[in-house]
Amino acid sequence: MNKLYLASKAPRLSVLKFGSSVLHSTADYARIAHEIYRHVRTGEKVVAVVSALDGETDNLFALGEDVGHHADGVGIARLVRCGELKSAALLGLALERAGVPTAVLDPHEMDLRAEGDPLDANLTGLDRAKVLARFEQADVIVAPGFFGDTEVGPVTLGRGGTDLTAVMFAHWLDADRARLIKDVDGVYTDDPAKSPDALRFDQLDYQEAREVSRGLVQDKAILAAEDLGVVIEVAALGRSYETRIAKVERAPAQTREVQRLRIAVLGHGAVGAGVCDYLEAHPNRFDLNPVLVRDPSKHGANHAERAFTATPEEALAHQPDIVVELMGGTGFARCLCQSALRDGSDLVTANKAVIALDLARLDSLAHEHKRHLRYSAAVGGGTPILELLDTLTPRETVRSVEGVMNGTCNYILDALDGGALFADAVAQAQALGFAEADPSTDLDGDDAADKLAIIAHHAFGQIPDLRDIPRESLSALPPERIEAAREADLVIKQIGRCSLGPDGKVEARVELRALPRMHAFASLRNEANGFLIECSDRTRYLKGKGAGRWPTAESVFADIMDIQRARAGNAPARQDLADDPMRLKQDLAS
Ligand code: HSE
């Protein structure tokens, strides 16, 4: 029998540290969530170690001095660690909004122990099993940096101590990387803000790093990393290159500028509005054309700062680098997707109907015009099922994929299971922005069939004819069947399944199935999606938020950022991060 591996058993683990230099305001938590999601969608598990918001620790020290008047270190440490506790909780909320399965852990919940001077202590131990166990349910664990627990209470690790927390976690968890995310993209010969001629390093050994980093990385953290053989990466948000601090010869870096991109967004519904928010939050990276909508006056009322147009020529003016199609439908949207690639733009779309119909043609257009085509959000919302399939299929033989892949149907079935009325549940799913413009697309299984066709392409290299995918409609589900399921302690779910038939052709269907409550899909609540991928020797499980503004916008935005990195020559458009950890491991071994 196959062993069921939860996605938590993924082989790669990253420790990412976010310091105060990237935490100027609460808006930065969304940026950090993008960075974390970038790793998660390549199949990595992430421990995110976080500092306090910029200035907060200073404020807490001042507050402690004000109230305590030369209080001893123990009392001050108890106060100043609150900045990190608050920051970890906020990052947890930002990740929840983005639909990334996350657990936030305080030091006492993972037995993170320390000893020494209460304001300059060292970490001495962590309950590794307790931390790793949380990856059964979560892709990300958020931990506050800068302090640990002792018999007599919390102690802090000195200024910059979150670097030390990250290094120690990477060591104890045998992580593939300890990446310290700063407001500069690596270690320079001099402060690049003050000396424009300063050179960045690709890699440095520990001692040199201590000499030139001048506090950019905490000294104690570099010493600990050297002692424990942990490779440190120093990087900026959104970049796929870094300065690596390891037992290596120093090497200067090639300059790799991120190119500012012009983006045309087509459509401003639940997802389009979220993507525009994300793009506008990165004014140094993106210029936004007026957004294509049917009626600009309707959207302008809530978004006075944003330009709208009903004219495609205006939305597509100035040869956009990326066209982001979020209109839905297979009429005009389909034409615009094709013409975007033909006219020399990269294309990002969440339009599963267009992809399911036209993938072969769009792929060949992208190839012919040497453009990027990305559609991660078309399946799974923020759940990176296509990315996972892509990392599996070169190495493993997939036998079948089945899943709950329509958030609206799951939301409705979950509500019906709880005793809600059908019409109320549909209205609620619409109000929450999960349903398609015409919710019958969800209810009749058409949306799931489109997604299944795309999944089949990534699992088996074949895209089935949509007419060959039978589907059972939720609208035709008699209330007695729900009642009978409940009495038998079963739960009804809409499941899409595809596998290879004996003739080597893909067989796919969308059906309503009554499942025992122990089944992995039975516990999927609200708009959740979940997938079981059966490979020759094991079955993988993946779940996440399958619909809604923020998880879907997260996925679209990740595609845009990937393309930007690929255009800058910093990474291939896919799996850019997946290969890095191996490189690190090899270096460590050599
Ligand atoms: N209507 C879709 C759903 C949106 O409910 O799953 C996400 O593709």
Side-chain angles (χ1 to χ4, degrees), residues 173-470:
L173 300 176
D174 193 23
D176 293 289
R177 63 170 88 226
R179 192 171 178 88
L180 313 182
I181 316 278
K182 311 268 179 185
D183 58 353
V184 286
D185 57 357
V187 181
Y188 281 74
T189 47
D190 211 341
D191 183 347
K194 294 185 191 134
S195 318
D197 295 336
L199 286 177
R200 192 175 65 79
F201 292 102
D202 250 347
Q203 55 183 44
L204 274 176
D205 83 10
Y206 296 100
Q207 194 184 327
E208 280 178 312
R210 284 175 53 219
E211 283 159 17
V212 296
S213 94
R214 293 170 307 277
L216 176 69
V217 180
Q218 191 203 32
D219 230 43
K220 271 200 312 190
I222 301 178
L223 282 170
E226 179 168 22
D227 198 31
L228 301 166
V230 171
V231 177
I232 295 177
E233 299 175 358
V234 179
L237 282 171
R239 307 292 160 88
S240 49
Y241 60 87
E242 64 280 319
T243 296
R244 294 161 60 242
I245 303 174
K247 226 180 240 170
V248 287
E249 295 281 303
R250 74 148 69 184
Q254 294 158 2
T255 311
R256 289 177 278 196
E257 292 295 321
V258 168
Q259 188 195 346
R260 196 186 168 92
L261 300 182
R262 177 167 291 278
I263 313 284
V265 178
L266 315 180
H268 195 259
V271 180
V275 171
C276 288
D277 275 10
Y278 285 161
L279 289 166
E280 286 168 357
H282 294 79
N284 297 332
R285 286 177 167 260
F286 305 111
D287 293 309
L288 197 52
N289 273 2
V291 181
L292 184 65
V293 292
R294 251 193 227 114
D295 177 0
S297 66
K298 211 174 104 196
H299 298 268
N302 287 331
H303 298 274
E305 309 299 302
R306 201 166 284 168
F308 295 97
T309 177
T311 316
E313 292 72 27
E314 208 182 326
L316 294 163
H318 313 298
Q319 177 66 57
D321 298 297
I322 307 180
V323 171
V324 182
E325 187 279 303
L326 301 168
M327 305 191 314
T330 51
F332 194 35
R334 191 176 178 187
C335 301
L336 288 176
C337 284
Q338 291 178 17
S339 60
L341 291 168
R342 236 184 245 122
D343 294 346
S345 301
D346 294 329
L347 174 65
V348 174
T349 177
N351 192 328
K352 48 252 158 171
V354 163
I355 294 297
L357 279 174
D358 262 359
L359 182 54
R361 186 202 298 240
L362 291 172
D363 246 344
S364 85
L365 277 174
H367 210 254
E368 187 186 328
H369 295 273
K370 298 196 172 46
R371 295 290 101 211
H372 297 291
L373 165 65
R374 301 296 297 266
Y375 48 87
S376 306
V379 185
T383 317
I385 174 66
L386 300 181
E387 289 80 356
L388 176 61
L389 284 171
D390 287 348
T391 62
L392 288 180
T393 43
R395 291 191 290 269
E396 299 184 44
T397 308
V398 176
R399 288 192 172 148
S400 70
V401 184
E402 63 177 17
V404 167
M405 54 193 78
N406 181 271
T408 302
C409 285
N410 199 59
Y411 184 89
I412 294 168
L413 286 165
D414 193 24
L416 296 181
D417 186 47
L421 292 174
F422 187 81
D424 291 348
V426 175
Q428 191 61 16
Q430 283 182 286
L432 289 167
F434 304 148
E436 298 301 303
D438 172 2
S440 69
T441 312
D442 299 294
L443 301 177
D444 294 344
D446 299 343
D447 178 83
D450 289 339
K451 291 169 177 168
L452 200 51
I454 301 169
I455 285 174
H457 174 75
H458 286 259
F460 307 115
Q462 294 176 34
I463 191 146
D465 190 321
L466 291 169
R467 288 165 302 192
D468 294 339
I469 303 180

Side-chain angles (χ1 to χ4, degrees), residues 85-119:
L85 282 174
K86 176 174 151 192
S87 194
L90 287 170
L91 180 56
L93 291 171
L95 286 160
E96 187 184 317
R97 182 175 93 153
V100 183
T102 300
V104 182
L105 296 181
D106 292 349
H108 72 270
E109 293 172 285
M110 38 191 174
D111 293 337
L112 180 62
R113 290 174 301 281
E115 62 182 32
D117 182 328
L119 297 181

Side-chain angles (χ1 to χ4, degrees), residues 1-5 399 532 534-539:
M1 201 176 116
N2 280 348
K3 193 164 173 196
L4 177 70
Y5 279 80
R399 288 192 172 148
L532 281 165
E534 191 199 353
C535 298
S536 17
D537 63 341
R538 58 178 170 164
T539 299

